[in-house]
Amino acid sequence: MARYVSGWRSSRHIEARLRFPGMNFHEALTRVTYKRIFGVWPDLENPRTISEKMCWLKVNDKRPQNAVITDKYRLRGYAEQNGLGHLMNELHGVWDRADDVDFGALPDAYALKVTNGSAWNVIKAPGQAIDEEATRKRLDLWMKTDMSDHKGEWYYAASPARIIAEHYLDNGGGDIPDYKLFVFNGETRFIQYCETRYSGLRSIFMSPQWEPMPFTYAVFAPYGPPPPRPEALDEMIEAAKTLSQGFALVRADFYINKGRLLLGELSLNPVGGYTVFKPDEWNEKIGDWLELPDKATLTASS
């Protein structure tokens, strides 16, 4: 399927092309995007902050396996290979074209997702009407869009565009919290708890012992009293460790639906690799927790 060419679609893309001629476009875009967000160029020779280290990984880790674990469909096989296939949500269908989506065969509620991107989802709640023609057009546009040209995450372009339909998740009230485990070198360092995604997102960072961490993303207001400790926390941490083996940094996202633990997705560069923590000193403190691999171990053939 032809992708929309997006290398010149914004001033960021133009600057990346013109300022760094001859450089790999995704690396150039990563550098320019970092400069736009933080006001300084990233130090990719001696990275210190967590965002600099994530950008270093985007630029240097080009292993094919990265595209497998970040693909929402191929992730299923990866989880199965690691003995965790039971954590995957029920699959209602998979299609290579938006025109092939069989709405008539789907249950009353479901989630449609384009598998090689981020936030490309159509959620149909129980009893809700859906405009099938408009939905096909939206899915088709996403499938023809190269997500890798958004924040330099090259692995999205290395995965085929597919549409999947998954079982609708809801613990009541049209929302289900998610638990995002940040795994550095095989160890869960902290967990981002998110709730009320569709009515004003609230988020708090917790330790693996389920104690509030002294930082948050700059965009979030104070959370208030922490949420209750999930019964499946230990199971989450163990599954995240298994799934992150061989990767310096993985964010493993989980849901708990009616008491059942489910794996949502794996991310290699949370927020595209451009996280802004507050207080500011935590950007470097968290960076200190992440040990980068030797470049020699990150060959494209591994």
Side-chain angles (χ1 to χ4, degrees):
M1 173 183 294
R3 301 282 182 86
Y4 289 128
V5 177
S6 50
W8 299 92
R9 69 184 180 187
S10 74
S11 61
R12 269 192 312 123
H13 296 80
I14 294 170
E15 182 178 0
R17 296 284 189 188
L18 299 181
R19 185 180 290 275
F20 299 106
M23 180 181 287
N24 173 275
F25 176 65
H26 292 132
E27 177 177 351
L29 183 61
T30 292
R31 291 176 181 271
V32 168
T33 303
Y34 187 99
K35 176 66 160 55
R36 296 286 183 97
I37 294 172
F38 295 97
V40 296
W41 294 105
D43 184 351
L44 299 186
E45 295 302 319
N46 298 287
R48 294 295 303 277
T49 68
I50 183 58
S51 289
E52 282 182 327
K53 288 191 173 183
M54 283 194 286
C55 288
W56 186 95
L57 286 167
K58 272 196 291 184
V59 168
N60 291 288
D61 186 359
K62 298 297 180 68
R63 294 173 297 168
Q65 189 74 337
N66 294 6
V68 173
I69 72 167
T70 54
D71 181 304
K72 293 176 179 62
Y73 180 67
R74 292 194 286 172
L75 172 61
R76 293 173 171 274
Y78 178 76
E80 188 72 39
Q81 291 168 13
N82 283 278
L84 296 172
H86 62 283
L87 296 183
M88 301 307 302
N89 191 13
E90 182 182 354
L91 184 69
H92 295 308
V94 55
W95 304 274
D96 295 323
R97 302 189 313 149
D99 286 345
D100 294 337
V101 175
D102 188 356
F103 288 96
L106 293 174
D108 176 54
Y110 50 82
L112 291 171
K113 302 179 180 181
V114 174
T115 57
N116 64 337
S118 177
W120 285 345
N121 308 320
V122 176
I123 310 298
K124 184 185 178 304
Q128 181 185 67
I130 187 168
D131 185 327
E132 295 182 9
E133 182 179 357
T135 299
R136 290 188 200 278
K137 288 181 179 179
R138 183 189 300 182
L139 293 170
D140 186 60
L141 175 62
W142 287 337
M143 293 183 74
K144 291 176 178 176
T145 300
D146 189 346
M147 174 63 82
S148 72
D149 281 356
H150 181 42
K151 294 180 178 177
E153 295 169 280
W154 63 268
Y155 36 81
Y156 286 134
S159 290
R162 296 188 182 95
I163 301 164
I164 57 173
E166 291 184 337
H167 181 68
Y168 175 80
L169 301 179
D170 180 8
N171 281 343
D175 181 59
I176 184 167
D178 60 319
Y179 303 82
K180 302 177 182 293
L181 278 64
F182 287 70
V183 188
F184 293 7
N185 309 111
E187 178 183 355
T188 294
R189 287 288 191 163
F190 53 90
I191 301 162
Q192 183 185 8
Y193 173 84
C194 301
E195 66 178 6
T196 59
R197 179 176 300 277
Y198 303 111
S199 58
L201 178 63
R202 300 177 69 233
S203 179
I204 185 173
F205 287 94
M206 306 294 291
S207 74
Q209 294 74 40
W210 208 248
E211 299 170 345
M213 298 295 283
F215 56 80
T216 187
Y217 283 151
V219 297
F220 288 127
Y223 182 87
R229 184 186 192 275
E231 291 185 5
L233 180 60
D234 292 341
E235 185 182 358
M236 280 186 215
I237 291 173
E238 188 61 31
K241 180 178 182 179
T242 298
L243 294 165
S244 66
Q245 291 302 306
F247 297 93
L249 169 62
V250 170
R251 192 193 73 198
D253 297 0
F254 294 93
Y255 302 98
I256 300 175
N257 185 58
K258 299 178 181 177
R260 178 190 172 194
L261 181 65
L262 295 170
L263 174 64
E265 64 178 320
L266 299 180
S267 299
L268 294 174
N269 298 99
V271 198
Y274 311 100
T275 55
V276 183
F277 287 98
K278 65 177 182 182
D280 181 67
E281 62 265 21
W282 281 97
N283 290 288
E284 191 164 316
K285 287 182 179 181
I286 294 171
D288 289 341
W289 295 344
L290 177 60
E291 181 180 349
L292 294 176
D294 190 303
K295 286 184 183 181
T297 68
L298 302 178
T299 59
S301 60
S302 62

